[in-house]
Amino acid sequence: MMPKIMIILGSGSDIAIAEKSMDVLDKLEIPYSLKIASAHRTPDLVREIVKQGTDAGIEVFIGIAGLAAHLPGAIAAHTPRPVIGVPVDVKTGGIDALQSIVQMPYPSPISTVGIDRGDNAAILAAQFIGVHDEEVRQKVIALRKTYAQKVIDSNEEIVEKIDRPFLRNDFLRIKNLKIEEIKADENAEACCKNKDAEVAIIVGRQTDVVTAKKVAVILSRLKISHDIKVVCPIRSTKKFTNYVKSMENAKVFIGISSNSSQVTGGIVGLTDRPVIGVPCTNENGDDYMLTTVSMPPGAPVATVGINNGNNAAVIAAEILSINNPNVVQLLDKLKDKKINL
């Protein structure tokens, strides 16, 4: 069976992080390939396995690297397929690798996950494939439910065993709690303009709209339908939830936010579709890249560089291009600067 995903390690010492990816892909029953190649020591090998892998049908690449961590970028240079980068903690807590991977120039983005999060990289890769493969999508949905169930079970396995004089464990027992499923309210005022859009763009603050417009411009040039909504998951929880639920036909979500990046985290909790995160700077000059990329197991966000809405649009297009040759052609022209942007 031909592999759909190729995992490339920059060094054999990164195998423990790759095993996290392989464990997830084994559970999802998605065939994959594993290679070791260095962007600095064996650049020709990187080029050939990526080019030949793409020609053979690889749909998503995962690049795992530490230190300078140029491997994911080197992979992206030789394929139109989406590339997921996993920074590895070798020195400085892995921040050096994270910065190297996430801050890619336009139009060569890397879908970056958290440091050492090989598991989230695999889930994200499966979500990308699930955009056009319903069987894979359903497997991802089932897997993510196991992560949710683990949190729920922790109440009985951990909390209920704690014996303290003022702790009331019989109050709102989680195992007996009824959780209401929230559905979209199509009658809600100005919920969405284009519910059939392929990409849904959600902006947390009005000041971040300038970044959203960058996304919209690139998507328009690539002829990808999209919808934009400015809504905060904290200040307008009901409107936020209703918008995400109403955009059930969207294949990709893009969350744009500053001030703790609650937008991307909120989206991930409400959809099984891939979520791209664009961290922004606020009025004080603070950026929110770490709060966007450092997601827990089972809830990945494909993070791009700070304020880099352009790259978020390119990743969305790369995901949609997996089974759409027309988008591939437009992406090739964009990357070769043959269309006016």
Side-chain angles (χ1 to χ4, degrees):
M1 185 180 297
M2 282 295 299
K4 293 186 176 182
I5 297 168
M6 179 178 284
I7 305 169
I8 305 178
L9 309 180
S11 169
S13 60
D14 300 330
I15 190 63
I17 308 304
E19 287 175 343
K20 294 181 181 181
S21 295
M22 292 188 286
D23 287 344
V24 170
L25 295 176
D26 286 344
K27 290 179 182 177
L28 293 171
E29 300 178 324
I30 299 175
Y32 57 89
S33 172
L34 177 68
K35 306 295 180 186
I36 301 175
S38 169
H40 306 119
R41 291 168 288 185
T42 59
D44 292 341
L45 178 59
V46 173
R47 182 190 67 241
E48 288 306 318
I49 61 176
V50 171
K51 291 177 66 176
Q52 293 184 36
T54 300
D55 292 341
I58 294 294
E59 298 181 356
V60 183
F61 289 86
I62 298 175
I64 301 176
L67 300 174
H70 294 159
L71 177 61
I75 296 171
H78 301 295
T79 182
R81 298 303 185 203
V83 180
I84 299 170
V86 186
V88 177
D89 177 8
V90 179
K91 300 287 185 180
T92 67
I95 296 297
D96 48 356
L98 173 59
Q99 291 282 6
S100 179
I101 295 173
V102 77
Q103 299 286 13
M104 290 290 292
Y106 168 80
S108 301
I110 302 297
S111 300
T112 309
V113 296
I115 297 167
D116 291 346
R117 287 263 70 94
D119 44 4
N120 274 352
I123 293 171
L124 195 61
Q127 286 180 313
F128 289 178
I129 295 171
V131 166
H132 67 88
D133 187 326
E134 186 61 26
E135 182 180 354
V136 171
R137 181 188 180 189
Q138 292 304 320
K139 288 179 179 179
V140 173
I141 292 172
L143 178 65
R144 292 187 66 189
K145 285 181 179 178
T146 66
Y147 284 92
Q149 191 62 46
K150 185 176 181 180
V151 175
I152 293 171
D153 292 345
S154 296
N155 285 278
E156 297 296 322
E157 296 170 357
I158 299 175
V159 178
E160 293 298 332
K161 295 179 180 179
I162 299 174
D163 183 16
R164 288 178 174 268
F166 292 97
L167 177 62
R168 298 293 178 258
N169 278 332
D170 57 345
F171 178 72
L172 293 180
R173 290 288 292 273
I174 298 299
K175 68 176 183 179
N176 300 326
L177 199 66
K178 183 179 179 181
I179 301 176
E180 181 184 358
E181 182 181 354
I182 301 176
K183 297 183 178 180
D185 180 6
E186 296 182 357
N187 297 320
E189 182 181 358
C191 179
C192 55
K193 295 180 181 179
N194 182 9
K195 67 177 182 179
D196 293 321
E198 292 181 286
V199 178
I201 306 166
I202 306 180
V203 192
R205 303 201 311 165
Q206 196 66 40
T207 52
D208 298 329
V209 169
V210 62
T211 300
K213 289 181 177 179
K214 294 179 181 178
V215 178
V217 167
I218 303 301
L219 291 178
S220 294
R221 299 295 169 85
L222 293 171
K223 300 179 181 180
I224 295 173
S225 60
H226 54 278
D227 192 72
I228 299 179
K229 183 74 171 180
V230 181
V231 59
C232 176
I234 305 302
R235 294 191 293 263
S236 306
T237 303
K238 289 184 178 180
K239 289 182 179 179
F240 181 89
T241 301
N242 194 51
Y243 179 75
V244 176
K245 293 292 184 178
S246 297
M247 296 300 295
E248 61 181 359
N249 293 326
K251 297 177 179 178
V252 179
F253 284 83
I254 297 177
I256 301 173
S257 61
S258 54
N259 292 357
S260 85
S261 304
Q262 293 283 350
V263 171
T264 49
I267 300 171
V268 168
L270 295 171
T271 182
D272 62 274
R273 292 302 197 182
V275 178
I276 302 169
V278 187
C280 297
T281 51
N282 67 6
E283 59 275 9
N284 297 319
D286 300 321
D287 71 73
Y288 293 85
M289 186 262 288
L290 287 176
T291 55
T292 302
V293 75
S294 298
M295 294 294 289
V301 168
T303 304
V304 297
I306 299 164
N307 298 326
N308 204 333
N310 290 345
N311 268 356
V314 174
I315 288 178
E318 288 176 336
I319 296 169
L320 296 173
S321 76
I322 290 175
N323 70 329
N324 190 331
N326 293 329
V327 178
V328 173
Q329 291 178 3
L330 289 171
L331 273 171
D332 285 342
K333 291 179 180 180
L334 183 151
K335 292 184 177 183
D336 288 338
K337 298 181 180 179
K338 292 179 181 177
I339 58 177
N340 182 20
L341 297 177

